[in-house]
Amino acid sequence: MGSVDERPVGIDELLERVRAGYTRIEPREAHEAARAGEALLVDIRYAALRERDGLIPGALVVERNELEWRLDPQGSHRASEATSHELRVVVICNEGYASSLAAESLQRLGLRRATDLVGGFQAWRAEGLPVRSGAEA
């Protein structure tokens, strides 16, 4: 627990602190890394957003509340893609905020190459990168 003298930290400051701990990735770079097999894209958006806006082909869909359990390479509930702590994971939320906190949480689990997508899914789509219909999910 923190000391009694610690002041509360607002979400904007928390995001700034978290993001200072790793390098975020832009949509085109993430797309190329995934195509080259150098990164695992992980979509943590909730179902209604995926259905409304679509899916990134090849991205692993993991609800945010399951993320750590599914990506911990040592976990009993891990996804088959969670093969190593050296895995480069790119967490994607809707606009690039929740994904920053999620990436930091994965780093605490030892996934030191975890990062998140600047601007989230909305930035991916705005760049004209591949998206398939959410109805296909």
Side-chain angles (χ1 to χ4, degrees), residues 36-51:
E38 298 170 357
L40 173 65
L41 305 180
V42 180
D43 187 343
I44 63 168
R45 293 174 301 142
Y46 53 89
L49 287 177
R50 296 191 310 267
E51 290 168 14

Side-chain angles (χ1 to χ4, degrees), residues 25-28 56 92-96 117-129 131:
I25 189 169
E26 296 287 338
R28 290 208 175 273
I56 296 172
I92 303 166
C93 67
N94 194 48
E95 294 182 344
L117 189 69
V118 175
F121 178 86
Q122 297 305 325
W124 178 279
R125 186 169 64 176
E127 284 286 322
L129 296 169
V131 174

Side-chain angles (χ1 to χ4, degrees), residues 78-130:
R78 72 183 173 275
S80 60
E81 294 87 347
T83 56
S84 163
H85 282 96
E86 297 305 310
L87 182 65
R88 185 177 185 196
V89 175
V90 178
V91 183
I92 303 166
C93 67
N94 194 48
E95 294 182 344
Y97 296 99
S99 57
S100 295
L101 300 176
E104 192 257 353
S105 181
L106 292 177
Q107 288 200 356
R108 286 181 172 196
L109 277 178
L111 291 154
R112 63 177 185 76
R113 297 180 69 209
T115 187
D116 77 312
L117 189 69
V118 175
F121 178 86
Q122 297 305 325
W124 178 279
R125 186 169 64 176
E127 284 286 322
L129 296 169

Side-chain angles (χ1 to χ4, degrees), residues 6 16 22 31 48 65 71 110:
E6 286 185 22
E16 191 176 305
Y22 64 91
H31 179 251
N65 63 329
L71 291 181

